[in-house]
């Protein structure tokens, strides 16, 4: 739709000069305009017809003479001028979302003011500037309007140059009804009368930032605020405010504020940079939000249940989730906002560090949470599964070919998030190694200790139906995946205690941050530091309150108050008091197991692999090697942030900064990891060719790209070697640093681990057992699972590793057992090995006993996958019952006994360790899934108790009861999902409903997912994804529904590009679940009706190829492994 006078211009598409610009057809904007600032005036009416009218004045520079300007705008543009002269405009015929402004005459290079007036209507689209509604405490509907712009939706709210490298300053005046709260990135500078019952809210000008990070919120909100001291010299006091719609308990807002108050000064000190966005940080809980959260500069928006957790009723997992998501988003204030990827092909520079720091920061926000102990099971495996299919894989960074919004959407995946984080974790470990004496990364598992209840849930308090989130969408911010119905992420693994220290000063010099071995060699322990005033995390109770018999306390901080807007727009505050915060410090061990702080810390003598290493000199200097405690890693991050402050960066900029501070050729190390898709499979082999040799055997290692077997044909997918070097599908070798360990000569444990570095297809170094004789020993590569890759062993070593795993955690720590289980499964599924190693390791897990989170997290999903595959295996009718019996009697029995202390009830004890609290739901869920009638009956009994099950077990109790056919459990969960006022309760109920067992129940849930149905749009992907992945009779029913209703689902989810990607991701979930019975013909038909501009507008790549690859993998698995597995089961009966 053009403006008055129509458009003009001619010339060739994409050419240079005015002809090219006036006929622009490229996805990227022409490199002609540099915007400097946006002066934006918007009036938003939340009452029907909910009109938005506005004007934006863009101060810009033309880099060359031009007769046309190309920018982004999707709304109705009313008028355009340049320096007061009228211009015409028209929509791009080639690129949706681009607006061509025709100036009428050629304008010389230089400055100018481009002004555009616009209008549109607020819609519940979950992107752009959109409408959100909820039910208030009085039962009446209340509305709010807010923004979610990542990645390409700022253009839906106001005309702009909507590319991340085109940073500019923003000044906003937002006009809204009196009595509503208005928020934006910067502090409010003035409120003036607008007439007609409205007020003008003007905000200070921001620092330069990308358009997708600009934000606005207007609505009826209440809030709390905390005043937080600076973390480093040169910073300032900060105000942290947490907002929610009326009716959200103050205790929940305060808990979130406490996490943020602990994190902000911590990040300042760790990163050596003051919080870049002024004196305030706002966190807003939103009733309708497509993703998990969004890192808008100074104004972070969250799905309600991802920001607010009730200290009285939330389970431990929910508190951990909230802490990690807040940590993720706040780290974005530096990674992503302060320094922004130059374009979407380098998205990982924002999401990779944030995913890593959600773990580092999570341990600061929630002391004792030990997020990094769970990093492999919860994060690395997700990326390996996603990136190992051969389809849908893409490089970590790409410099060319970003040519559509669909492609931008596809970058928000585990490659950008978990792969990026995994590589940073690896670099931190390797840059912290000891040259002469490699760090003792693996010795034995840490003695597990209980988490003070102040850091978790009320273990005796009774909650309603509880579950984790089952969303599988590619939502923005920290994404939370998993489903009760699909044996998803029910809990996190291990939580350790920490010690509290005294408050100290400091200016944030790196010696304050990484001295005294607080970030040990190879380590990921959260670096709390002697003498640092990092602030006390919420609920850090200490000594005498470490009993699991109290609800989580409200974190107390300085100068707390709760505020809300009255009808005049003024603030009324009621002080709630609070205490000053004490410092929290973390201790760790050196390579000899000695506390670096000179004090004995319970459990630290058994530090896990990621928190061990050499002690520093303690004087703050880097010493001779400059390697201790991850110093070189963190100094490199500081250099990166300071070099590119308020600017943009590409991947090479980060590697350059790390190289400059470490003296290592990091850029060369990371070249293949950055620009080559996938990851390596490292294969261990006997050098003498004797696979049965036990004396004098020597081992070597080689690498090749991991992927389905068919990719290896004709050298395609092979590592470059002389016979394959000219093949276009051949792969360059990755730089692979591997920590490895062997059985100790006395047979009572493992040796200290050593580093092996590979930078070619086959290592020139040989891996040998002690004394250069293999004997009866074993060798474990990738000790601690630090490198994001898979390892294949010869049969003899697989057998010996299974034997070591069965012994106890002294022989093989739990993270290494988890790695062996996941590698053996994936290698078999890809066609590179037999199924026997995986089966032997599952039996070892059963013989090992105990309730260790990481191996159970891995095996739960794979055990269920075997059952689903066998159900589809022709001619193997007796095999599925054998597998079910085997899992229940030989795998689960000992672990379940340890988790339940010999009983079968859904109960918890005051003395339960945190590890037990986290692993127990996994074991109970697996038992229910495999038909343990006793557990199923106990789940139903627990739900019938007046007080309900304990909060830690409410999720699994509801899911098991619903899955075993309890109509009352289903009806109660459905009622909560559709109408409970608590977002926390609604989320729990949604996860439990994925276990629906009857056709009538499933149909009720599917109907709720349609337009007009009771499910909120933000919950549809999670609910439908859980049904598709459940592996029950619900799966094919949900798949049939998807085929018929794809267009309606797209509409329900907002009708946007992001919504189309969500629907396509659900199709992939269906293809990955054998019980859905997806066929290639069905996939083709679905895309014919709904691909491109048809129907739901589903993007083709990477979704359709990934779905097809999943079908091929199922067929390969059944053809290759069903028979041997069934034979193996008969042998072990």
């Amino acid at each position: 739709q053009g403006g008055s006078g129509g458009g003009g211009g001619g010339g060739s598409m994409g050419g240079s000069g005015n002809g090219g610009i006036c006929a622009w057809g490229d996805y990227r904007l022409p490199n002609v305009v540099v915007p400097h600032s946006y002066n934006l005036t918007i009036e938003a009416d939340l009452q029907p017809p909910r009109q938005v009218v506005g004007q934006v004045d863009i101060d810009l520079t033309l880099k060359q003479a031009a007769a046309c300007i190309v920018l982004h705008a999707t709304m109705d543009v009313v008028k355009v001028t340049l320096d007061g002269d009228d211009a015409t405009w028209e929509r791009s015929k080639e690129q949706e979302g681009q607006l061509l402004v025709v100036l009428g005459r050629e304008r010389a290079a230089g400055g100018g003011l481009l002004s555009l007036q616009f209008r549109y209507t607020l819609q519940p689209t979950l992107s752009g500037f959109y409408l959100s509604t909820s039910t208030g405490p009085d039962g009446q509907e209340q509305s709010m309007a807010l923004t979610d712009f990542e990645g390409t939706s700022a253009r839906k709210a106001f005309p702009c140059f909507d590319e991340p490298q085109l940073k500019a300053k923003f000044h906003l005046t937002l006009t809204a009804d009196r009595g509503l709260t208005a928020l934006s990135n910067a502090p409010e500078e003035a409120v003036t009368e607008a007439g007609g019952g409205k007020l003008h809210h003007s905000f200070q000008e921001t620092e330069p930032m990308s358009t997708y990070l600009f934000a606005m919120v207007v609505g009826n909100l209440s809030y709390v605020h905390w005043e937080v001291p600076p973390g480093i010299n040169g910073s300032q006091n900060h105000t942290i405010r947490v907002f929610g719609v009326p009716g959200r308990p103050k205790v929940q807002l305060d808990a979130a504020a406490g996490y943020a108050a602990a994190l902000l000064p911590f990040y300042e000190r760790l990163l050596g940079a003051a919080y870049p966005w002024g004196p305030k940080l706002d966190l807003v809980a939103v009733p309708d939000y497509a993703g998990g959260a969004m890192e808008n500069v100074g104004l972070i928006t969250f799905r309600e249940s991802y920001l607010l957790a009730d200290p009285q009723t939330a389970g431990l997992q929910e508190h951990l989730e909230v802490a990690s998501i807040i940590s993720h988003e706040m780290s974005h204030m530096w990674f992503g906002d302060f320094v922004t990827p130059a374009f979407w092909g380098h998205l990982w520079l924002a999401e990779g560090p944030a995913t890593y720091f959600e773990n580092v920061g999570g341990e600061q926000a929630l002391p004792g949470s030990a997020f990094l102990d769970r990093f492999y099971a919860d994060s690395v495996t997700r990326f390996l599964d996603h990136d190992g299919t051969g389809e849908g894989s893409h490089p970590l960074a790409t410099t060319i070919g970003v040519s559509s919004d669909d492609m931008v959407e596809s970058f928000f995946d585990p490659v950008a998030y978990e792969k990026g984080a995994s590589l940073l974790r690896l670099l931190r470990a390797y840059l912290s190694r000891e040259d002469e004496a490699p760090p003792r990364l693996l010795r034995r598992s840490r003695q597990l200790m209980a988490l003070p209840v102040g850091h978790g849930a009320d273990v005796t308090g009774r909650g309603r139906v509880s579950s984790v989130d089952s969303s599988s969408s590619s939502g923005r911010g920290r994404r939370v995946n998993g489903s009760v119905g699909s044996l998803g992420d029910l809990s996190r693994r291990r939580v350790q205690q920490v010690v509290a220290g005294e408050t100290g000063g400091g200016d944030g010099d790196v010696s304050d941050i990484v001295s005294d071995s607080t970030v040990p060699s190879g380590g990921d322990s959260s670096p709390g530091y002697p003498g640092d005033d990092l602030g006390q995390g919420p609920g850090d109770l200490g000594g005498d309150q470490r009993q699991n018999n109290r609800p989580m306390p409200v974190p107390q901080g300085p100068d707390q108050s709760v505020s809300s807007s009255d009808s005049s727009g003024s603030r009324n505050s009621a002080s709630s008091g609070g205490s000053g915060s004490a410092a929290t410090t973390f201790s760790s061990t050196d390579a000899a197991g000695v506390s670096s702080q000179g004090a004995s810390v319970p459990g630290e003598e058994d530090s896990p692999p990621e928190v061990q290493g050499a002690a520093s000199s303690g004087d703050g200097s880097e010493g001779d090697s400059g390697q201790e405690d991850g110093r070189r890693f963190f100094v490199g991050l500081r250099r990166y942030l300071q070099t590119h402050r308020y600017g943009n960066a590409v991947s090479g900029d980060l590697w350059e900064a790390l190289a400059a501070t470490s003296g290592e050729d990091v850029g060369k190390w990371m070249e293949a990891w950055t620009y080559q898709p996938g990851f390596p499979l490292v294969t261990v082999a006997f050098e003498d060719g004797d696979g049965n040799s036990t004396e004098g055997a020597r081992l070597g290692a080689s690498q090749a790209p991991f992927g389905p077997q068919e990719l290896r044909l004709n050298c395609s997918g092979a590592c470059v070697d002389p016979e394959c070097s000219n093949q276009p599908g051949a792969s360059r070798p990755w730089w692979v640093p591997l920590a490895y360990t062997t059985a100790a000569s006395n047979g009572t444990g493992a040796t200290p681990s050593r580093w092996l570095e590979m930078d070619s297809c086959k290592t020139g170094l040989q891996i040998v057992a002690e004394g250069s004789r293999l004997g009866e020993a074993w060798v474990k590569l990738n000790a601690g699972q630090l490198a994001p890759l898979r390892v294949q062993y010869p049969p003899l070593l697989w057998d010996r590793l299974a034997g070591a795993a069965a012994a106890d955690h002294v022989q093989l720590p739990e993270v290494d057992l988890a790695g062996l289980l996941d590698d053996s499964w994936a290698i078999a599924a890809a066609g590179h090995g037999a199924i026997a190693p995986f089966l032997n390791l599952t039996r070892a897990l059963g013989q090992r006993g105990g309730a260790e989170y990481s191996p159970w997290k891995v095996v739960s999903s794979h055990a269920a996958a075997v059952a689903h595959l066998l159900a589809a295996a022709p001619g193997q009718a007796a095999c599925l019952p054998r597998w079910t019996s085997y899992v229940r009697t030989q795998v689960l029995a000992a672990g379940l006994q340890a988790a339940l202390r010999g009983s079968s009830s859904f109960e918890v004890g005051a003395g339960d360790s945190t590890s037990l609290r986290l692993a127990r739901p996994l074991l109970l869920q697996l038992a229910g899934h495999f038909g343990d009638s006793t557990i199923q009956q106990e789940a139903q009994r627990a739900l019938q108790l007046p007080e309900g099950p304990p909060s830690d077990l409410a999720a699994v109790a509801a899911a098991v009861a619903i899955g075993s056919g309890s109509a009352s459990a289903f009806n109660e969960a459905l009622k909560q999902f559709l109408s409970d006022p608590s977002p926390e309760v609604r989320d729990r109920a949604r996860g439990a409903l994925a276990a629906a067992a009857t056709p009538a129940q499933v149909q009720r849930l599917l109907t709720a997912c349609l337009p007009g149905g009771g499910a909120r749009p933000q919950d549809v992907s999670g609910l439908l994804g859980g049904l598709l992945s459940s592996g029950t009779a619900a799966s094919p029913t949900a798949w049939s529904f998807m085929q018929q209703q794809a267009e309606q689902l797209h509409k329900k989810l907002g009708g946007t590009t992001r919504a189309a990607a969500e629907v396509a991701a659900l199709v992939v979930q269906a293809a990955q679940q054998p019980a859905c019975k997806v066929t290639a013909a069905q996939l083709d038909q679905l895309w014919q009706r709904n691909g491109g501009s048809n129907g739901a507008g589903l993007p083709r790549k990477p979704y359709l190829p990934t779905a097809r690859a999943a079908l091929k993998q199922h067929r390969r698995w059944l053809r290759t492994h069903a028979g041997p597995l069934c034979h193996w089961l008969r042998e072990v009966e």
Side-chain angles (χ1 to χ4, degrees), residues 32-242:
V32 173
V33 174
V34 178
H36 303 296
S37 67
Y38 293 84
N39 187 10
L40 180 60
T41 302
I42 284 186
E43 180 175 341
D45 192 346
L46 301 190
Q47 302 302 317
R50 300 191 170 103
Q51 279 284 319
V52 175
V53 295
Q55 176 170 321
V56 61
D57 300 318
I58 309 174
D59 180 36
L60 54 78
T61 294
L62 291 173
K63 298 169 66 175
Q64 65 184 54
C68 297
I69 294 175
V70 184
L71 69 164
H72 294 106
T74 64
M75 75 294 295
D76 183 15
V77 175
V78 178
K79 185 177 181 179
V80 181
T81 64
L82 180 65
D83 293 332
D85 295 336
D86 287 343
T88 59
W89 64 95
E90 65 179 19
R91 303 291 178 193
S92 169
K93 299 180 177 62
E94 302 293 334
Q95 296 293 340
E96 184 178 357
Q98 287 186 3
L99 186 75
L100 178 68
V101 174
V102 182
L103 303 178
R105 62 181 177 85
E106 184 172 275
R107 299 294 296 262
L113 185 69
L114 179 65
S115 299
L116 301 98
Q117 297 177 10
F118 56 91
R119 65 190 177 198
Y120 54 92
T121 302
L122 289 171
Q123 300 288 345
T125 56
L126 302 183
S127 68
F129 189 34
Y130 71 92
L131 180 72
S132 173
T133 59
S134 60
T135 302
D138 58 359
Q140 299 298 309
E141 182 179 271
Q142 54 189 8
S143 299
M144 66 185 300
L146 69 148
T147 56
D148 187 12
F149 289 163
E150 193 177 46
T152 59
S153 292
R155 65 195 66 176
K156 299 176 182 178
F158 60 97
C160 56
F161 296 89
D162 197 13
E163 292 185 352
Q165 81 281 5
L166 297 175
K167 287 191 167 186
K169 297 181 178 182
F170 288 81
H171 182 276
L172 170 68
T173 299
L174 179 57
T175 303
D177 288 340
R178 184 186 305 276
L180 298 180
T181 298
L183 303 171
S184 189
N185 307 90
E188 194 173 66
E189 63 182 1
V191 179
T192 58
E193 289 288 343
K198 297 181 181 295
L199 296 174
H200 295 308
H201 299 264
S202 296
F203 298 87
Q204 297 175 15
E205 187 174 66
T206 70
E207 295 289 347
M209 64 183 191
S210 301
T211 49
Y212 80 92
L213 297 169
F214 178 74
M216 303 174 286
V217 176
V218 59
N220 186 14
L221 300 170
S222 59
Y223 75 102
V224 301
H225 77 268
W226 286 36
E227 299 299 319
V228 181
I232 58 174
N233 292 340
S235 184
Q236 59 183 318
N237 289 334
H238 300 98
T239 298
I240 290 177
R241 302 184 296 181
V242 178

Side-chain angles (χ1 to χ4, degrees), residues 66 131 148 173 245 265 307 315 330 337 365 377 495 516 562 595 629 754 839 844 854 893 951 1030 1098:
L131 180 72
D148 187 12
T173 299
V245 296
L307 179 63
M330 286 186 63
D337 294 8
V495 184
D516 296 326
V562 60
S595 172
D629 310 337
R754 299 171 174 83
L839 298 173
S854 289
S951 55
S1030 67
L1098 304 183

Side-chain angles (χ1 to χ4, degrees), residues 790-1041:
R790 299 202 184 278
V791 181
Q792 168 73 300
Y793 299 92
L796 177 65
L797 284 183
W798 276 122
D799 290 344
R800 290 185 178 178
L801 287 165
D808 55 38
H809 62 268
V810 174
Q811 286 278 354
L812 202 68
E814 64 175 277
V815 68
D816 284 293
L817 176 53
L820 291 169
L821 283 161
D822 203 51
D823 283 356
S824 60
W825 169 263
I827 287 168
H832 299 308
I835 195 66
F838 171 75
L839 298 173
N840 291 333
L841 286 162
T842 63
R843 184 165 55 173
L845 177 61
Q847 294 168 347
R848 179 186 181 103
E852 299 168 301
Y853 174 80
S854 289
W856 284 111
K857 172 68 183 295
V858 168
V859 86
S860 62
S861 61
H862 297 332
V866 171
H868 301 153
L869 285 160
L870 289 177
Q876 300 289 355
C879 198
L880 179 56
R882 283 195 176 98
W883 176 250
T884 300
S885 175
Y886 165 73
V887 171
R888 285 170 48 187
T889 60
Q890 298 194 47
V891 181
L892 263 174
L896 200 60
Q897 183 177 21
L900 300 182
R901 300 183 182 279
S903 85
S904 58
S905 60
F906 281 64
E907 297 178 356
V908 296
D912 287 349
S913 70
T914 299
S915 177
L916 183 59
R917 290 172 63 188
L918 292 171
R920 183 185 283 123
L922 280 174
L923 289 153
L924 288 170
Q925 177 65 26
L926 194 60
H929 187 85
F930 277 84
D932 187 319
S933 59
T934 302
I935 296 300
Q936 292 172 345
Q937 292 166 10
E938 284 296 321
Q940 296 185 36
R941 184 191 67 81
L943 291 176
Q944 292 168 2
L945 295 173
E947 66 274 24
S951 55
D952 279 0
L953 301 180
V956 67
V960 171
I962 292 172
S964 60
S966 172
S968 61
F970 174 85
N971 291 333
E972 178 64 18
L974 183 59
K975 177 183 175 182
Q976 293 174 0
F977 173 63
L978 295 177
S979 61
D980 197 283
S982 167
E984 176 183 290
V985 172
R986 292 198 304 268
D987 262 20
R988 297 170 182 174
R990 184 192 67 224
L993 288 169
T998 70
Q1001 291 174 353
V1002 174
Q1003 193 56 52
R1004 290 173 69 182
L1005 297 176
L1006 295 175
T1007 300
C1009 293
L1010 292 172
R1016 299 181 78 87
Q1018 68 173 13
D1019 297 325
V1020 168
S1021 290
L1023 178 59
L1024 189 51
L1027 293 171
L1028 289 166
S1029 300
S1030 67
T1032 67
S1035 294
T1037 303
W1039 168 234
S1040 178
F1041 171 84

